[in-house]
Amino acid sequence: MSANDHLQFISHQYSGQLPGPRLIVTGAVHGNETCGTTAIRRVLAMLDEGSLLIRRGSLTLVPVTNPLAYAKGERAGERNLNRNLFPQEAPQDFEDRIANWLCPLLARHDVLLDLHSFNAHSEPFVMVGPRNNDGPLEPFRHEQQERALARRLGVRRFVDGWLRTYGAGVQRRLRQQSELQTVLRYGMGTTEYMRSTGGYALTLECGQHDDPQAPEVGYRAILNTLAFLGLIDGPAPEAIAAEQMEALSMAAVVDKQHADDVFSRPWASFDPVRAGEQIGVRADGSVELAAFDGRILFPDAAAGANCEWYYLCRSNPDF
């Protein structure tokens, strides 16, 4: 018997009397990101007291997706659940066992809203998937529905291009092309897995971990999603106006080549950069410069050699 055998996986399902979409909302995929848990539990209370009623389709709520990480108050239990998310015939760690429960659960739904938070002080944003395509990396056919929902969550900042950009970095690092698909699996998380089953999915980063407004962002997003999909009665939320949006596409990933590569200053996600602006200094003394005008994303000062150091994204007027 292992030390984690007392933990269990819990979901709550509510079904309406009329047909409609099947929505799943997840929180605490990372255990220190609790705003989604708070938001989901608020909605659960409303459903149980009868002040909110599912009329059409079904709603599944998962307040704590990773109970080990949540109990520890840390990002991961034994590894990052939001990478290499696939069913495992021979589970090696706790997150593998979560995947064997979570992946079939996701596959039974049409839409996923995954609630997260982040470390730096910045405004909420939503990560969206690719354009419709039949390519080998991330084939997809729900671009219009996914982006229409994204514009109704209640935030103004949108980012796409994660798996494409991550994959380009993986391909650059690999010496043997045969390894590519194996390593790309590491880039698959909840939303990527959901899209692979034929559904669509959004990751909503509700705010900084300790921001008291982050649970409110998540709560409003759940209600807006329920209304937009028609699961509850009431007016559908209006889409954010195009002129109010900040749409960005991840366009490049830059690796840390040596452990002694350092940033020139403590960068935070969405800090603006200008082409030619100094980002950092390499261990050999060479200067790392921004390749184009845009914003820095996911800078990781603690990254190891030959790992992602930072991403760059640029404006996406065609969102």
Side-chain angles (χ1 to χ4, degrees), residues 5 13 58-59 76 82 92 107 141 150 152 157 160 167 172 176 192 200 232 236 244 279:
D5 284 351
Q13 186 174 60
S58 67
L59 169 66
N82 221 22
Q92 300 298 307
R141 57 185 177 87
R152 289 164 172 85
R157 181 175 277 168
D160 68 11
R172 184 179 63 238
Q176 305 226 352
E192 291 80 19
Y200 63 95
I232 61 175
Q244 296 177 324
I279 302 294

mmCIF file with all atom_site columns, all heavy atoms in Angstrom, residues 5 13 58-59 76 82 92 107 141 150 152 157 160 167 172 176 192 200 232 236 244 279:
data_model
loop_
_atom_site.group_PDB
_atom_site.id
_atom_site.type_symbol
_atom_site.label_atom_id
_atom_site.label_alt_id
_atom_site.label_comp_id
_atom_site.label_asym_id
_atom_site.label_entity_id
_atom_site.label_seq_id
_atom_site.pdbx_PDB_ins_code
_atom_site.Cartn_x
_atom_site.Cartn_y
_atom_site.Cartn_z
_atom_site.occupancy
_atom_site.B_iso_or_equiv
_atom_site.pdbx_formal_charge
_atom_site.auth_seq_id
_atom_site.auth_comp_id
_atom_site.auth_asym_id
_atom_site.auth_atom_id
_atom_site.pdbx_PDB_model_num
ATOM 1   N N   . ASP A 1 5   ? -2.524  6.028  -1.381  1.00 0.00 ? 5   ASP A N   1
ATOM 2   C CA  . ASP A 1 5   ? -3.692  5.197  -1.661  1.00 0.00 ? 5   ASP A CA  1
ATOM 3   C C   . ASP A 1 5   ? -4.973  5.734  -1.041  1.00 0.00 ? 5   ASP A C   1
ATOM 4   O O   . ASP A 1 5   ? -6.077  5.316  -1.421  1.00 0.00 ? 5   ASP A O   1
ATOM 5   C CB  . ASP A 1 5   ? -3.451  3.763  -1.154  1.00 0.00 ? 5   ASP A CB  1
ATOM 6   C CG  . ASP A 1 5   ? -2.524  2.980  -2.078  1.00 0.00 ? 5   ASP A CG  1
ATOM 7   O OD1 . ASP A 1 5   ? -2.222  3.483  -3.173  1.00 0.00 ? 5   ASP A OD1 1
ATOM 8   O OD2 . ASP A 1 5   ? -2.099  1.878  -1.689  1.00 0.00 ? 5   ASP A OD2 1
ATOM 9   N N   . GLN A 1 13  ? -21.584 15.434 -11.553 1.00 0.00 ? 13  GLN A N   1
ATOM 10  C CA  . GLN A 1 13  ? -22.267 15.609 -12.828 1.00 0.00 ? 13  GLN A CA  1
ATOM 11  C C   . GLN A 1 13  ? -23.720 16.019 -12.618 1.00 0.00 ? 13  GLN A C   1
ATOM 12  O O   . GLN A 1 13  ? -24.410 15.495 -11.742 1.00 0.00 ? 13  GLN A O   1
ATOM 13  C CB  . GLN A 1 13  ? -22.229 14.339 -13.671 1.00 0.00 ? 13  GLN A CB  1
ATOM 14  C CG  . GLN A 1 13  ? -22.824 14.545 -15.068 1.00 0.00 ? 13  GLN A CG  1
ATOM 15  C CD  . GLN A 1 13  ? -22.668 13.353 -15.969 1.00 0.00 ? 13  GLN A CD  1
ATOM 16  O OE1 . GLN A 1 13  ? -23.165 12.274 -15.647 1.00 0.00 ? 13  GLN A OE1 1
ATOM 17  N NE2 . GLN A 1 13  ? -21.997 13.527 -17.091 1.00 0.00 ? 13  GLN A NE2 1
ATOM 18  N N   . SER A 1 58  ? -25.254 18.434 -20.288 1.00 0.00 ? 58  SER A N   1
ATOM 19  C CA  . SER A 1 58  ? -24.736 17.998 -18.993 1.00 0.00 ? 58  SER A CA  1
ATOM 20  C C   . SER A 1 58  ? -23.515 18.823 -18.615 1.00 0.00 ? 58  SER A C   1
ATOM 21  O O   . SER A 1 58  ? -22.799 19.335 -19.481 1.00 0.00 ? 58  SER A O   1
ATOM 22  C CB  . SER A 1 58  ? -24.366 16.513 -19.012 1.00 0.00 ? 58  SER A CB  1
ATOM 23  O OG  . SER A 1 58  ? -23.267 16.269 -19.869 1.00 0.00 ? 58  SER A OG  1
ATOM 24  N N   . LEU A 1 59  ? -23.306 18.927 -17.310 1.00 0.00 ? 59  LEU A N   1
ATOM 25  C CA  . LEU A 1 59  ? -22.159 19.638 -16.747 1.00 0.00 ? 59  LEU A CA  1
ATOM 26  C C   . LEU A 1 59  ? -21.455 18.716 -15.768 1.00 0.00 ? 59  LEU A C   1
ATOM 27  O O   . LEU A 1 59  ? -22.075 18.183 -14.845 1.00 0.00 ? 59  LEU A O   1
ATOM 28  C CB  . LEU A 1 59  ? -22.625 20.904 -16.022 1.00 0.00 ? 59  LEU A CB  1
ATOM 29  C CG  . LEU A 1 59  ? -21.571 21.616 -15.163 1.00 0.00 ? 59  LEU A CG  1
ATOM 30  C CD1 . LEU A 1 59  ? -20.451 22.179 -16.029 1.00 0.00 ? 59  LEU A CD1 1
ATOM 31  C CD2 . LEU A 1 59  ? -22.210 22.724 -14.317 1.00 0.00 ? 59  LEU A CD2 1
ATOM 32  N N   . ALA A 1 76  ? 2.895   20.207 -8.639  1.00 0.00 ? 76  ALA A N   1
ATOM 33  C CA  . ALA A 1 76  ? 2.817   18.811 -9.050  1.00 0.00 ? 76  ALA A CA  1
ATOM 34  C C   . ALA A 1 76  ? 2.762   17.894 -7.842  1.00 0.00 ? 76  ALA A C   1
ATOM 35  O O   . ALA A 1 76  ? 3.228   18.243 -6.753  1.00 0.00 ? 76  ALA A O   1
ATOM 36  C CB  . ALA A 1 76  ? 4.019   18.456 -9.925  1.00 0.00 ? 76  ALA A CB  1
ATOM 37  N N   . ASN A 1 82  ? -0.081  18.252 -16.456 1.00 0.00 ? 82  ASN A N   1
ATOM 38  C CA  . ASN A 1 82  ? -0.464  18.904 -17.707 1.00 0.00 ? 82  ASN A CA  1
ATOM 39  C C   . ASN A 1 82  ? 0.571   18.718 -18.812 1.00 0.00 ? 82  ASN A C   1
ATOM 40  O O   . ASN A 1 82  ? 0.645   19.532 -19.741 1.00 0.00 ? 82  ASN A O   1
ATOM 41  C CB  . ASN A 1 82  ? -0.724  20.393 -17.473 1.00 0.00 ? 82  ASN A CB  1
ATOM 42  C CG  . ASN A 1 82  ? -1.931  20.870 -18.253 1.00 0.00 ? 82  ASN A CG  1
ATOM 43  O OD1 . ASN A 1 82  ? -2.793  20.082 -18.634 1.00 0.00 ? 82  ASN A OD1 1
ATOM 44  N ND2 . ASN A 1 82  ? -2.007  22.163 -18.490 1.00 0.00 ? 82  ASN A ND2 1
ATOM 45  N N   . GLN A 1 92  ? 3.232   4.672  -13.852 1.00 0.00 ? 92  GLN A N   1
ATOM 46  C CA  . GLN A 1 92  ? 4.483   4.727  -13.109 1.00 0.00 ? 92  GLN A CA  1
ATOM 47  C C   . GLN A 1 92  ? 4.438   5.692  -11.929 1.00 0.00 ? 92  GLN A C   1
ATOM 48  O O   . GLN A 1 92  ? 5.262   5.607  -11.030 1.00 0.00 ? 92  GLN A O   1
ATOM 49  C CB  . GLN A 1 92  ? 5.626   5.135  -14.049 1.00 0.00 ? 92  GLN A CB  1
ATOM 50  C CG  . GLN A 1 92  ? 5.839   4.183  -15.208 1.00 0.00 ? 92  GLN A CG  1
ATOM 51  C CD  . GLN A 1 92  ? 6.224   2.792  -14.744 1.00 0.00 ? 92  GLN A CD  1
ATOM 52  O OE1 . GLN A 1 92  ? 7.171   2.628  -13.976 1.00 0.00 ? 92  GLN A OE1 1
ATOM 53  N NE2 . GLN A 1 92  ? 5.472   1.789  -15.190 1.00 0.00 ? 92  GLN A NE2 1
ATOM 54  N N   . ALA A 1 107 ? -12.945 12.448 -22.617 1.00 0.00 ? 107 ALA A N   1
ATOM 55  C CA  . ALA A 1 107 ? -13.408 11.944 -23.911 1.00 0.00 ? 107 ALA A CA  1
ATOM 56  C C   . ALA A 1 107 ? -14.924 11.812 -23.975 1.00 0.00 ? 107 ALA A C   1
ATOM 57  O O   . ALA A 1 107 ? -15.490 11.770 -25.077 1.00 0.00 ? 107 ALA A O   1
ATOM 58  C CB  . ALA A 1 107 ? -12.740 10.606 -24.211 1.00 0.00 ? 107 ALA A CB  1
ATOM 59  N N   . ARG A 1 141 ? -11.038 20.771 -35.842 1.00 0.00 ? 141 ARG A N   1
ATOM 60  C CA  . ARG A 1 141 ? -12.130 21.207 -36.711 1.00 0.00 ? 141 ARG A CA  1
ATOM 61  C C   . ARG A 1 141 ? -13.161 22.063 -35.972 1.00 0.00 ? 141 ARG A C   1
ATOM 62  O O   . ARG A 1 141 ? -14.276 22.245 -36.477 1.00 0.00 ? 141 ARG A O   1
ATOM 63  C CB  . ARG A 1 141 ? -12.817 19.981 -37.334 1.00 0.00 ? 141 ARG A CB  1
ATOM 64  C CG  . ARG A 1 141 ? -13.358 18.978 -36.329 1.00 0.00 ? 141 ARG A CG  1
ATOM 65  C CD  . ARG A 1 141 ? -13.907 17.738 -37.013 1.00 0.00 ? 141 ARG A CD  1
ATOM 66  N NE  . ARG A 1 141 ? -14.372 16.739 -36.071 1.00 0.00 ? 141 ARG A NE  1
ATOM 67  C CZ  . ARG A 1 141 ? -15.595 16.698 -35.547 1.00 0.00 ? 141 ARG A CZ  1
ATOM 68  N NH1 . ARG A 1 141 ? -16.478 17.635 -35.862 1.00 0.00 ? 141 ARG A NH1 1
ATOM 69  N NH2 . ARG A 1 141 ? -15.940 15.744 -34.716 1.00 0.00 ? 141 ARG A NH2 1
ATOM 70  N N   . ALA A 1 150 ? -14.156 31.520 -26.358 1.00 0.00 ? 150 ALA A N   1
ATOM 71  C CA  . ALA A 1 150 ? -13.060 32.263 -25.726 1.00 0.00 ? 150 ALA A CA  1
ATOM 72  C C   . ALA A 1 150 ? -13.413 33.736 -25.578 1.00 0.00 ? 150 ALA A C   1
ATOM 73  O O   . ALA A 1 150 ? -13.102 34.370 -24.557 1.00 0.00 ? 150 ALA A O   1
ATOM 74  C CB  . ALA A 1 150 ? -11.783 32.100 -26.540 1.00 0.00 ? 150 ALA A CB  1
ATOM 75  N N   . ARG A 1 152 ? -16.110 35.031 -24.946 1.00 0.00 ? 152 ARG A N   1
ATOM 76  C CA  . ARG A 1 152 ? -17.220 35.255 -24.023 1.00 0.00 ? 152 ARG A CA  1
ATOM 77  C C   . ARG A 1 152 ? -16.887 34.866 -22.585 1.00 0.00 ? 152 ARG A C   1
ATOM 78  O O   . ARG A 1 152 ? -17.774 34.842 -21.730 1.00 0.00 ? 152 ARG A O   1
ATOM 79  C CB  . ARG A 1 152 ? -18.453 34.490 -24.516 1.00 0.00 ? 152 ARG A CB  1
ATOM 80  C CG  . ARG A 1 152 ? -19.039 35.135 -25.765 1.00 0.00 ? 152 ARG A CG  1
ATOM 81  C CD  . ARG A 1 152 ? -19.999 34.220 -26.502 1.00 0.00 ? 152 ARG A CD  1
ATOM 82  N NE  . ARG A 1 152 ? -20.677 34.943 -27.585 1.00 0.00 ? 152 ARG A NE  1
ATOM 83  C CZ  . ARG A 1 152 ? -20.198 35.113 -28.811 1.00 0.00 ? 152 ARG A CZ  1
ATOM 84  N NH1 . ARG A 1 152 ? -18.998 34.620 -29.121 1.00 0.00 ? 152 ARG A NH1 1
ATOM 85  N NH2 . ARG A 1 152 ? -20.890 35.771 -29.714 1.00 0.00 ? 152 ARG A NH2 1
ATOM 86  N N   . ARG A 1 157 ? -7.484  39.158 -23.190 1.00 0.00 ? 157 ARG A N   1
ATOM 87  C CA  . ARG A 1 157 ? -6.205  38.727 -23.756 1.00 0.00 ? 157 ARG A CA  1
ATOM 88  C C   . ARG A 1 157 ? -6.281  37.260 -24.169 1.00 0.00 ? 157 ARG A C   1
ATOM 89  O O   . ARG A 1 157 ? -6.727  36.401 -23.387 1.00 0.00 ? 157 ARG A O   1
ATOM 90  C CB  . ARG A 1 157 ? -5.090  38.944 -22.738 1.00 0.00 ? 157 ARG A CB  1
ATOM 91  C CG  . ARG A 1 157 ? -3.714  38.546 -23.215 1.00 0.00 ? 157 ARG A CG  1
ATOM 92  C CD  . ARG A 1 157 ? -2.662  38.911 -22.181 1.00 0.00 ? 157 ARG A CD  1
ATOM 93  N NE  . ARG A 1 157 ? -2.264  40.310 -22.282 1.00 0.00 ? 157 ARG A NE  1
ATOM 94  C CZ  . ARG A 1 157 ? -1.548  40.958 -21.366 1.00 0.00 ? 157 ARG A CZ  1
ATOM 95  N NH1 . ARG A 1 157 ? -1.189  40.333 -20.254 1.00 0.00 ? 157 ARG A NH1 1
ATOM 96  N NH2 . ARG A 1 157 ? -1.201  42.215 -21.554 1.00 0.00 ? 157 ARG A NH2 1
ATOM 97  N N   . ASP A 1 160 ? -2.556  32.019 -28.753 1.00 0.00 ? 160 ASP A N   1
ATOM 98  C CA  . ASP A 1 160 ? -2.601  30.728 -29.420 1.00 0.00 ? 160 ASP A CA  1
ATOM 99  C C   . ASP A 1 160 ? -1.184  30.305 -29.822 1.00 0.00 ? 160 ASP A C   1
ATOM 100 O O   . ASP A 1 160 ? -0.219  31.032 -29.607 1.00 0.00 ? 160 ASP A O   1
ATOM 101 C CB  . ASP A 1 160 ? -3.542  30.747 -30.631 1.00 0.00 ? 160 ASP A CB  1
ATOM 102 C CG  . ASP A 1 160 ? -3.034  31.614 -31.789 1.00 0.00 ? 160 ASP A CG  1
ATOM 103 O OD1 . ASP A 1 160 ? -1.864  32.051 -31.767 1.00 0.00 ? 160 ASP A OD1 1
ATOM 104 O OD2 . ASP A 1 160 ? -3.818  31.852 -32.728 1.00 0.00 ? 160 ASP A OD2 1
ATOM 105 N N   . GLY A 1 167 ? 6.509   22.410 -30.341 1.00 0.00 ? 167 GLY A N   1
ATOM 106 C CA  . GLY A 1 167 ? 6.975   21.360 -31.232 1.00 0.00 ? 167 GLY A CA  1
ATOM 107 C C   . GLY A 1 167 ? 8.161   21.782 -32.073 1.00 0.00 ? 167 GLY A C   1
ATOM 108 O O   . GLY A 1 167 ? 9.077   20.995 -32.333 1.00 0.00 ? 167 GLY A O   1
ATOM 109 N N   . ARG A 1 172 ? 13.967  21.207 -33.143 1.00 0.00 ? 172 ARG A N   1
ATOM 110 C CA  . ARG A 1 172 ? 15.290  21.811 -33.243 1.00 0.00 ? 172 ARG A CA  1
ATOM 111 C C   . ARG A 1 172 ? 16.283  21.118 -32.308 1.00 0.00 ? 172 ARG A C   1
ATOM 112 O O   . ARG A 1 172 ? 17.456  20.954 -32.641 1.00 0.00 ? 172 ARG A O   1
ATOM 113 C CB  . ARG A 1 172 ? 15.187  23.303 -32.903 1.00 0.00 ? 172 ARG A CB  1
ATOM 114 C CG  . ARG A 1 172 ? 16.494  24.068 -33.057 1.00 0.00 ? 172 ARG A CG  1
ATOM 115 C CD  . ARG A 1 172 ? 16.318  25.538 -32.722 1.00 0.00 ? 172 ARG A CD  1
ATOM 116 N NE  . ARG A 1 172 ? 15.931  25.754 -31.343 1.00 0.00 ? 172 ARG A NE  1
ATOM 117 C CZ  . ARG A 1 172 ? 14.816  26.387 -30.965 1.00 0.00 ? 172 ARG A CZ  1
ATOM 118 N NH1 . ARG A 1 172 ? 13.970  26.845 -31.863 1.00 0.00 ? 172 ARG A NH1 1
ATOM 119 N NH2 . ARG A 1 172 ? 14.542  26.549 -29.690 1.00 0.00 ? 172 ARG A NH2 1
ATOM 120 N N   . GLN A 1 176 ? 17.781  13.006 -33.511 1.00 0.00 ? 176 GLN A N   1
ATOM 121 C CA  . GLN A 1 176 ? 17.177  11.911 -34.265 1.00 0.00 ? 176 GLN A CA  1
ATOM 122 C C   . GLN A 1 176 ? 15.710  12.232 -34.485 1.00 0.00 ? 176 GLN A C   1
ATOM 123 O O   . GLN A 1 176 ? 14.949  12.359 -33.537 1.00 0.00 ? 176 GLN A O   1
ATOM 124 C CB  . GLN A 1 176 ? 17.303  10.603 -33.487 1.00 0.00 ? 176 GLN A CB  1
ATOM 125 C CG  . GLN A 1 176 ? 18.731  10.277 -33.113 1.00 0.00 ? 176 GLN A CG  1
ATOM 126 C CD  . GLN A 1 176 ? 19.061  8.814  -33.412 1.00 0.00 ? 176 GLN A CD  1
ATOM 127 O OE1 . GLN A 1 176 ? 18.186  8.061  -33.753 1.00 0.00 ? 176 GLN A OE1 1
ATOM 128 N NE2 . GLN A 1 176 ? 20.308  8.461  -33.281 1.00 0.00 ? 176 GLN A NE2 1
ATOM 129 N N   . GLU A 1 192 ? -5.090  19.851 -25.017 1.00 0.00 ? 192 GLU A N   1
ATOM 130 C CA  . GLU A 1 192 ? -4.608  19.131 -26.195 1.00 0.00 ? 192 GLU A CA  1
ATOM 131 C C   . GLU A 1 192 ? -5.239  17.732 -26.263 1.00 0.00 ? 192 GLU A C   1
ATOM 132 O O   . GLU A 1 192 ? -5.637  17.278 -27.340 1.00 0.00 ? 192 GLU A O   1
ATOM 133 C CB  . GLU A 1 192 ? -3.082  19.019 -26.183 1.00 0.00 ? 192 GLU A CB  1
ATOM 134 C CG  . GLU A 1 192 ? -2.356  20.337 -26.398 1.00 0.00 ? 192 GLU A CG  1
ATOM 135 C CD  . GLU A 1 192 ? -2.282  21.191 -25.136 1.00 0.00 ? 192 GLU A CD  1
ATOM 136 O OE1 . GLU A 1 192 ? -2.465  20.644 -24.020 1.00 0.00 ? 192 GLU A OE1 1
ATOM 137 O OE2 . GLU A 1 192 ? -2.056  22.403 -25.262 1.00 0.00 ? 192 GLU A OE2 1
ATOM 138 N N   . TYR A 1 200 ? -13.450 20.408 -28.110 1.00 0.00 ? 200 TYR A N   1
ATOM 139 C CA  . TYR A 1 200 ? -12.648 21.629 -28.075 1.00 0.00 ? 200 TYR A CA  1
ATOM 140 C C   . TYR A 1 200 ? -12.492 22.081 -26.633 1.00 0.00 ? 200 TYR A C   1
ATOM 141 O O   . TYR A 1 200 ? -13.220 21.623 -25.740 1.00 0.00 ? 200 TYR A O   1
ATOM 142 C CB  . TYR A 1 200 ? -13.191 22.723 -28.987 1.00 0.00 ? 200 TYR A CB  1
ATOM 143 C CG  . TYR A 1 200 ? -14.565 23.280 -28.697 1.00 0.00 ? 200 TYR A CG  1
ATOM 144 C CD1 . TYR A 1 200 ? -14.730 24.434 -27.932 1.00 0.00 ? 200 TYR A CD1 1
ATOM 145 C CD2 . TYR A 1 200 ? -15.709 22.689 -29.233 1.00 0.00 ? 200 TYR A CD2 1
ATOM 146 C CE1 . TYR A 1 200 ? -15.980 24.967 -27.700 1.00 0.00 ? 200 TYR A CE1 1
ATOM 147 C CE2 . TYR A 1 200 ? -16.962 23.222 -29.021 1.00 0.00 ? 200 TYR A CE2 1
ATOM 148 C CZ  . TYR A 1 200 ? -17.101 24.363 -28.244 1.00 0.00 ? 200 TYR A CZ  1
ATOM 149 O OH  . TYR A 1 200 ? -18.349 24.895 -28.017 1.00 0.00 ? 200 TYR A OH  1
ATOM 150 N N   . ILE A 1 232 ? -27.916 26.518 -19.376 1.00 0.00 ? 232 ILE A N   1
ATOM 151 C CA  . ILE A 1 232 ? -28.802 27.188 -18.430 1.00 0.00 ? 232 ILE A CA  1
ATOM 152 C C   . ILE A 1 232 ? -29.657 28.191 -19.182 1.00 0.00 ? 232 ILE A C   1
ATOM 153 O O   . ILE A 1 232 ? -29.316 28.621 -20.282 1.00 0.00 ? 232 ILE A O   1
ATOM 154 C CB  . ILE A 1 232 ? -28.013 27.882 -17.302 1.00 0.00 ? 232 ILE A CB  1
ATOM 155 C CG1 . ILE A 1 232 ? -27.084 28.960 -17.872 1.00 0.00 ? 232 ILE A CG1 1
ATOM 156 C CG2 . ILE A 1 232 ? -27.226 26.862 -16.480 1.00 0.00 ? 232 ILE A CG2 1
ATOM 157 C CD1 . ILE A 1 232 ? -26.365 29.782 -16.805 1.00 0.00 ? 232 ILE A CD1 1
ATOM 158 N N   . ALA A 1 236 ? -27.420 34.844 -23.568 1.00 0.00 ? 236 ALA A N   1
ATOM 159 C CA  . ALA A 1 236 ? -26.031 34.490 -23.845 1.00 0.00 ? 236 ALA A CA  1
ATOM 160 C C   . ALA A 1 236 ? -25.153 35.721 -23.702 1.00 0.00 ? 236 ALA A C   1
ATOM 161 O O   . ALA A 1 236 ? -25.571 36.833 -24.040 1.00 0.00 ? 236 ALA A O   1
ATOM 162 C CB  . ALA A 1 236 ? -25.903 33.917 -25.256 1.00 0.00 ? 236 ALA A CB  1
ATOM 163 N N   . GLN A 1 244 ? -11.279 45.764 -28.293 1.00 0.00 ? 244 GLN A N   1
ATOM 164 C CA  . GLN A 1 244 ? -10.881 45.618 -26.886 1.00 0.00 ? 244 GLN A CA  1
ATOM 165 C C   . GLN A 1 244 ? -9.953  44.433 -26.667 1.00 0.00 ? 244 GLN A C   1
ATOM 166 O O   . GLN A 1 244 ? -9.374  44.280 -25.601 1.00 0.00 ? 244 GLN A O   1
ATOM 167 C CB  . GLN A 1 244 ? -12.126 45.458 -26.002 1.00 0.00 ? 244 GLN A CB  1
ATOM 168 C CG  . GLN A 1 244 ? -13.030 46.678 -25.987 1.00 0.00 ? 244 GLN A CG  1
ATOM 169 C CD  . GLN A 1 244 ? -14.290 46.443 -25.156 1.00 0.00 ? 244 GLN A CD  1
ATOM 170 O OE1 . GLN A 1 244 ? -14.848 45.343 -25.144 1.00 0.00 ? 244 GLN A OE1 1
ATOM 171 N NE2 . GLN A 1 244 ? -14.723 47.463 -24.454 1.00 0.00 ? 244 GLN A NE2 1
ATOM 172 N N   . ILE A 1 279 ? 17.642  40.672 -24.169 1.00 0.00 ? 279 ILE A N   1
ATOM 173 C CA  . ILE A 1 279 ? 16.863  39.795 -23.294 1.00 0.00 ? 279 ILE A CA  1
ATOM 174 C C   . ILE A 1 279 ? 17.754  39.189 -22.219 1.00 0.00 ? 279 ILE A C   1
ATOM 175 O O   . ILE A 1 279 ? 17.353  39.054 -21.065 1.00 0.00 ? 279 ILE A O   1
ATOM 176 C CB  . ILE A 1 279 ? 16.204  38.664 -24.114 1.00 0.00 ? 279 ILE A CB  1
ATOM 177 C CG1 . ILE A 1 279 ? 15.308  39.236 -25.208 1.00 0.00 ? 279 ILE A CG1 1
ATOM 178 C CG2 . ILE A 1 279 ? 15.421  37.728 -23.198 1.00 0.00 ? 279 ILE A CG2 1
ATOM 179 C CD1 . ILE A 1 279 ? 14.105  39.966 -24.713 1.00 0.00 ? 279 ILE A CD1 1
#
